[in-house]
Amino acid sequence: MSVTPKKELAKAYAPQDVEKKWYDTWEAGGLFYAYRPDESPQDPTGRRAVDKAPFVVCMPPPNVTGILHMGHALNNTIQDTYIRYHRMLGHEALWMPGTDHAGIATQTKVEKQLKEEGLSRRDLGREKFLDRVWQWKHTHSDFIEKQLRALGCGPDWRRFCFTMDEGYYNAVIEAFVRLHEKGLIYRGKRIINWSPLAQSALSDEEVIYKETQGKLHFFRYPLIDRKADEPEYIVIATTRPETMLGDVAVAVNPFDERYQKLIGRKLMLPLMNREIPIIADDYVDKEFGTGCVKITPAHDPNDFEIGLRHNLPQLNVMYPDATINEQGGKYSGLDRYVARKKIIADLEELGLIEKIEDYTNSVGYSERGGEMIEPYLSDQWFVKMKPLAEPALKVVEDGLIQFHPERWINTYRHWMTNIRDWCISRQLWWGHRIPAWYGGSGEVFVGRTAEDARAKADAAGYTGHLHQDEDVLDTWFSSWLWPFATFGWPENTKDLQTFYPGNLLSTAPDIIFFWVARMIMAGIEFMKDLPKADGSPRTSMEDIVPFKHVYFHNIIRDQIGRKMSKSLGNSPDPIDLVQKYGTDAVRFTLLYLAPLGQDVRFGEESCEQGRNFANKLWNATRFVMMKRDEYQSNKSEPTFESEDTELLNSTSNEPRIQSNTKTGFTAKPATTLADKWILSRANKTAFGIKESLDNYLINDATKKLYDFIWKDYCDWYLEVVKLQPESTLLAVEILEGILRMLHPVMPFVTEELWHALTGNEESVLIGQDDYITSDEGKIDPEAEADFEFIQKIIEAARLLRANAKLTPSKPAKFILRLKNDSDHSLSKSARLIIERLCRAEALAIEVDGGGELSSNEYSSELLSGRGQIFMKLEVLSAEEAAKEQARIAKERERVSKQYQSLLSKLSDDNFVSRAPAHI
RNA sequence: GGGCAAUUGGCGCAGUUGGUUAGCGCGCUUCCUUGACAUGGAAGAGGUCACAGGUUCGAAUCCUGUAUUGCCCACCA
């Protein structure tokens, strides 16, 4: 047996010392790598089996531009915890990492940078501009990786994927072409949400509606050829006066008596001096405003529809930057808001303003840029969503994909059943360029490559020049392929066959539409035709959907309830917290505070709880190791044959843990009451944690760990171990199990302590060990009840001491009177524990039957009907005696009240007859 | 307008299918530096569980309504 120097643990846990060391060791040891069955295991420990069931999580790819905020920290901690947990359960755990090119966000940042140099993207040209963006991407993407590492996250870094990687790029193009071939992608002139800042279209999901204080303007449009009994003008109401430049009609309700006679007549559009008709349409609400609506088909989605019904022209009066174009007459060139002011002033001068009222309505803003979006008429590409949404809704309704918490299914259903077509073209350069080529007179050819498009054109008899669509695709049009494009789709790769479908998707509920729903659609649409590993078709939906469980975690808010965001600057940098409190502390705190789907207010001080917990565990280990040494040296003849030997001996160089030899806390039977109790508690906890984790109640699991470790193990069991050294080895074994049980949540401190405790070599990792399993045979309700009674006695005795203001150093004398024999012998057998934990100088244990002891001499506490404990009082001042009397009287009253209520219940026939017997 | 949630001691939150005395963390009070830990230990104060009805032997828990707050969706010029 070789002897290595014993490791002394420092008095307090210093995370910085251990985190980097272990992260590097994990990586060097290939801990994060996942293998296919056909790959030879490359793990240095050789523990990897090749036929393990995979457990796959695809990381929601953060924006390359991004800095991780607390929400990311939470989400990635959740994923890492599940990955580590399943790896320990024996799965081939794959966490697929990557980043998203984030079209608008990234392009905006680079354009901003250019602007500081006095340049625009058009000055550079497409190619040079894209070079700049790539440069920018390269300098920024490392940062996210660094942050994830600092959080202890261990995805399979070898597989890191970027949505603009060549393979992924091709997958996006392939998806577009296939959907186009199926007629699910089309091009059309529609009113879309226009972002004047990005000068691009946005999808409906990228628009945020906010109540906005504005004005409702009432304008007079003069009636042409007015008869004597007719009004001089028609009054219309609008919130966006500048759009009047594009008015092509005024609509009234066909059943509105006020205007019926005027239908078909003409009005003179002021300022523009254009004749526009009065038309009738059901859409108009007689009650609202004046009952007359100006119709601007090019600048309002409803007006657009009306325009189509009435065959009206679509007059676009704005440039893409939301300045008025040449159609706007003398307002041409003005910004939309400047034009608005001028139009109002001009109408005022003409006496054509009836009134202007304050008005609050809901206005759309760009999610990214924050500016007001402009409904705008333009040619865009759309995905037909209904055919995709129907099966995607069904798999969730049928439970093939489960949402946690379940209620999100309502939101999902609502969106899926009211779904509208998805505008996927963006007028940007950074992204996947739309694979459509145009001929000189409106011909459109969609192909995988320019050659492909050329061939199609030739086949169609078009020989002229082709030019590719300038636009790129919505970022989410690439993200929705994430669960399979990361594994090489459209090729039917071995990775894809092994690791699709995934198991868990963890995300914040705010991207349920953007991403979750669309991934489900894409998974069903694109994976259903791809054969499985054995060549058989995917006939079961279970093999087609991209994941089985979706965990919607909470949104982290600041202490006054605001969503944490970069723009508000109210999110602490997770890395600062990690440095201040330790990674494990931050992880624990986030998981502890992360109830299922309930928003959480986060203040950085809450990390103290996690830090303290890590420190508690550290010191418990320190103590147990000290006790073990003590026990070992006191033992005259160590039993080398016994299975304790290696646990006893922390200097062994042989890895103690052999795969699957021991998954529970101990193989040995427990002897003392405390031993039985802690084993029962430990196994119950292990059982509960598995249950919580498997049901995605992750905060429950952390709470169970915390309570068991701190209260049961440290506060009670270790105190008992101080009194009964024969429990030392069990304490070691339980602790070893605790470390394994806690490891997925707090990987660093548990790894460090596990090695200190077991003496395992650095290359043997706790994360490769088996997760603790509960042995239900060790759950012992009787032992738990018995030990709880002992705890109750001790607590009662401590209370007596505290009330009598006895300092701990002063000994006390107790008399314990118990009603039945079993309690009597129970407490006698636990006499030592009771005496020492309540610092009794003397403890008399009696069978109840003696008379009441004088309350001048004794203070007492009741033991839930099973007996009473008395403490002999020292000299008591009259004042103190009175106080004590009062307290006892109060206590007596409370108990008798409770007793009375119980009595009355029991004498109530209703209760006795209806309540179940055990009550 | 439609939908989803929340309302529990000073603050932040648990409380799973209804069942004896409603828990936890922080904060507060008192005592304790006793050989794991003061990032600790012991004890304590503090809640008629938003409100009003109802179901039940029994309600924080189930039902109805009201109020307040938050979020999502839709949107009338």
Side-chain angles (χ1 to χ4, degrees), chain A residues 40-146:
Chain A
S40 57
Q42 292 163 32
D43 190 302
T45 62
R47 281 191 70 246
R48 253 171 227 282
V50 291
D51 55 354
K52 293 175 183 173
F55 178 84
V56 180
V57 177
C58 288
M59 178 190 293
N63 293 354
V64 269
T65 61
I67 294 173
L68 302 186
H69 54 66
M70 291 311 291
H72 290 112
L74 169 64
N75 192 19
N76 286 291
T77 300
I78 290 167
Q79 293 170 72
D80 192 58
T81 297
Y82 274 98
I83 284 288
R84 289 176 188 271
Y85 169 63
H86 280 275
R87 185 178 294 124
M88 292 179 82
L89 286 177
H91 293 125
E92 193 63 30
L94 168 59
W95 190 11
M96 177 73 216
T99 45
D100 191 304
H101 69 284
I104 295 185
T106 310
Q107 174 156 337
T108 310
K109 292 221 164 150
V110 177
E111 285 191 295
K112 210 180 220 170
Q113 206 181 39
L114 282 179
K115 205 173 172 187
E116 282 164 17
E117 300 165 26
L119 293 168
S120 80
R121 73 189 212 223
R122 288 174 214 286
D123 295 334
L124 285 185
R126 189 170 191 127
E127 223 167 284
K128 279 197 176 154
F129 177 75
L130 288 180
D131 284 346
R132 280 293 291 256
V133 185
W134 277 106
Q135 257 178 44
W136 203 87
K137 183 254 168 189
H138 290 310
T139 51
H140 283 78
S141 56
D142 286 0
F143 193 62
I144 284 162
E145 207 177 308
K146 266 185 207 144

Side-chain angles (χ1 to χ4, degrees), chain A residues 780-899:
Chain A
D780 185 346
E782 205 181 323
E784 287 198 36
D786 285 348
F787 194 78
E788 274 165 27
F789 187 57
I790 302 298
Q791 288 175 315
K792 193 161 278 176
I793 293 170
I794 294 164
E795 279 164 357
R798 285 172 176 168
L799 178 56
L800 290 173
R801 294 187 63 108
N803 286 331
K805 303 242 183 294
L806 272 187
T807 60
S809 53
K810 284 192 193 158
K813 291 178 182 162
F814 293 100
I815 300 169
L816 179 59
R817 285 185 173 174
L818 296 164
K819 284 185 179 156
N820 62 55
D821 290 342
S822 62
D823 284 349
H824 187 239
S825 53
L826 170 68
S827 43
K828 272 194 162 164
S829 70
R831 169 187 285 279
L832 178 71
I833 294 171
I834 299 172
E835 275 179 354
R836 300 291 278 276
L837 294 187
C838 60
R839 297 186 174 274
E841 178 188 47
L843 173 68
I845 302 177
E846 303 172 352
V847 174
D848 201 1
E852 189 83 346
L853 296 170
S854 156
S855 60
N856 287 328
E857 277 182 86
Y858 289 94
S859 167
S860 76
E861 278 292 318
L862 295 170
L863 299 166
S864 55
R866 289 161 80 171
Q868 200 168 358
I869 186 164
F870 299 87
M871 186 179 76
K872 179 108 168 79
L873 292 173
E874 304 293 315
V875 194
L876 209 63
S877 72
E879 193 190 349
E880 279 170 324
K883 247 186 182 169
E884 185 61 14
Q885 293 276 19
R887 192 189 63 82
I888 290 170
K890 199 175 154 195
E891 174 70 7
R892 194 154 278 180
E893 193 189 347
R894 186 183 67 78
V895 173
S896 86
K897 234 184 190 169
Q898 198 186 320
Y899 180 67

Side-chain angles (χ1 to χ4, degrees), chain A residues 420-624:
Chain A
R420 299 197 297 187
D421 287 354
W422 174 18
C423 175
I424 51 169
S425 40
R426 297 289 179 277
Q427 287 62 51
L428 307 170
W429 287 350
W430 176 239
H432 308 82
R433 193 160 172 186
I434 293 173
W437 281 261
Y438 304 105
S441 29
E443 299 88 347
V444 182
F445 303 99
V446 170
R448 286 167 182 81
T449 57
E451 295 75 43
D452 192 13
R454 182 73 258 171
K456 283 181 179 164
D458 292 344
Y462 175 78
T463 54
H465 177 256
L466 287 177
H467 70 275
Q468 190 177 358
D469 197 313
E470 294 291 322
D471 296 347
V472 300
L473 291 160
D474 181 8
T475 299
W476 299 101
F477 191 86
S478 60
S479 329
W480 73 331
L481 312 175
W482 190 248
F484 45 93
T486 45
F487 296 125
W489 185 89
E491 297 302 316
N492 195 2
T493 61
K494 284 182 177 167
D495 275 348
L496 195 53
Q497 291 166 3
T498 307
F499 298 119
Y500 188 94
N503 299 76
L504 170 66
L505 173 74
S506 173
T507 186
D510 51 0
I511 54 173
I512 184 167
F513 307 133
F514 277 115
W515 197 46
V516 179
R518 288 170 183 163
M519 269 195 291
I520 296 173
M521 295 181 205
I524 295 171
E525 173 64 23
F526 295 113
M527 286 302 293
K528 60 174 186 258
D529 301 324
L530 220 54
K532 293 194 278 189
D534 58 6
S536 65
R538 288 177 200 263
T539 45
S540 164
M541 263 300 173
E542 281 177 54
D543 299 323
I544 295 170
V545 296
F547 30 71
K548 293 175 177 58
H549 297 276
V550 183
Y551 179 103
F552 291 109
H553 66 251
N554 52 2
I555 291 177
I556 299 201
R557 297 180 181 281
D558 67 9
Q559 285 186 303
I560 51 173
R562 297 175 305 178
K563 192 167 157 179
M564 284 194 175
S565 75
K566 249 178 291 168
S567 51
L568 280 172
N570 58 348
S571 173
D573 182 346
I575 302 311
D576 290 345
L577 293 185
V578 157
Q579 275 162 8
K580 192 163 169 193
Y581 298 98
T583 300
D584 290 325
V586 174
R587 288 171 64 113
F588 175 85
T589 303
L590 284 171
L591 296 184
Y592 190 84
L593 290 175
L596 198 68
Q598 177 70 52
D599 289 1
V600 66
R601 293 183 182 205
F602 182 84
E604 83 163 61
E605 317 75 60
S606 50
C607 289
E608 284 172 17
Q609 196 183 347
R611 181 198 58 189
N612 295 354
F613 184 45
N615 189 246
K616 186 77 179 174
L617 186 72
W618 180 268
N619 278 291
T621 306
R622 206 156 73 95
F623 172 73
V624 166

